[in-house]
Amino acid sequence: MTGPVRALALDGRPLGGGLYLRIDHWAQHLPVPVQHAVAAFSAYGVVLLAVLMTAAWWRARRADSAVLARALAAPPAVALAFAADTLLKSVLREPRPCQVLDAGRTLEACPGAGDWSLPSNHTVIVFAGAAVLWQVDRRLGGLALLLAVAMGASRVLVGVHYPQDVVLGAVLGTAAGYGLGRLAGRAAPVVDRVRQGRLRRRPVG
C-alpha cells in the first residue's frame, strides 16, 4: 500500500514554494499585534460567515420562496463543499509547505503529518458560502466575498498553505456554492407549501 499511496502525493514546492517563502518571510516581519490579529482571523474568521448566513436568512424571510430556499440551503451547501474538499485532500495528499520547506517560525502552528494541504479547507468553506449568499442578497454576498478573499490570503500568511492551495480552494468553493445555490432555488415550491401550511394553521382573530 505504501508505494501506490506515495505515488498519488503531490509536491507543491515547484509551483508555489518560492512565492510561499517570500510571503512567509514578509509575514514574519509584521508587527507582533498584526501577526496575532492575522492568526486569530485565519483560525476563527469562519464564524463571520455564520453571522452573514444568519443575516441572509433573516432578510430572506420576506423574499420570494426561491431566495428563502437558497438562504436555508447555505449551511448544508457549505457542509457539502467541506466534505468534498476533505475527500479531495485525501486523494491529492499534498504535504503542508511548513512541513517540507524551511520556513522558520510560522504565524500558526504547522499541522501534523497527514493533515494535507491541497485544497485549503477554510478557503473552500468561505467561498462556497459567499457563492450561495450572492444569490440571496448581493450586499451580504459581497461582504462574504471580501471575507473569503481575506481568509484565503490569511491561510498563506500564517504559513499553512501554498498560494495554489488557496486558488484551487476558491475555485472549488465558488463552483460548489453557486451550483448548490442554483439547485436549492428549485425547492421554491416546497417552501411555498410550508408557508401556506403555516398560514392555514394561524388562528383566526
Side-chain angles (χ1 to χ4, degrees):
M1 292 294 293
T2 303
V5 169
R6 285 182 178 174
L8 289 173
L10 296 182
D11 185 353
R13 287 174 290 184
L15 179 60
L19 179 57
Y20 166 84
L21 288 173
R22 288 193 293 273
I23 293 172
D24 182 74
H25 177 77
W26 178 76
Q28 290 179 28
H29 288 81
L30 291 172
V32 172
V34 175
Q35 292 181 353
H36 291 166
V38 170
F41 170 78
S42 188
Y44 305 110
V46 291
V47 175
L48 297 176
L49 177 63
V51 172
L52 291 174
M53 288 193 294
T54 302
W57 163 77
W58 184 261
R59 297 182 67 169
R61 291 176 308 137
R62 299 185 182 278
D64 65 66
S65 295
V67 171
L68 180 56
R70 292 186 180 111
L72 293 171
V78 168
L80 286 172
F82 171 75
D85 171 65
T86 301
L87 178 61
L88 182 59
K89 285 166 79 83
S90 68
V91 173
L92 298 178
R93 301 172 65 87
E94 178 192 74
R96 300 271 183 172
C98 52
Q99 295 169 352
V100 296
L101 291 171
D102 185 15
R105 181 183 62 85
T106 54
L107 304 190
E108 183 176 306
C110 189
D115 191 334
W116 309 112
S117 190
L118 180 70
S120 163
N121 273 338
H122 286 69
T123 307
V124 167
I125 288 170
V126 186
F127 270 94
V132 179
L133 293 183
W134 183 259
Q135 300 172 68
V136 176
D137 185 291
R138 287 289 192 266
R139 181 173 298 178
L140 292 175
L143 290 174
L145 180 59
L146 291 175
L147 173 65
V149 172
M151 176 58 68
S154 76
R155 299 309 287 166
V156 181
L157 276 173
V158 298
V160 296
H161 281 290
Y162 294 105
Q164 67 263 23
D165 301 340
V166 168
V167 171
L168 181 58
V171 171
L172 292 179
T174 300
Y178 184 79
L180 292 169
R182 296 289 293 178
L183 185 62
R186 297 184 180 181
V190 177
V191 175
D192 278 333
R193 287 195 292 271
V194 172
R195 281 174 159 176
Q196 292 166 6
R198 287 176 178 172
L199 288 173
R200 283 198 297 269
R201 290 194 297 271
R202 184 176 297 172
V204 179

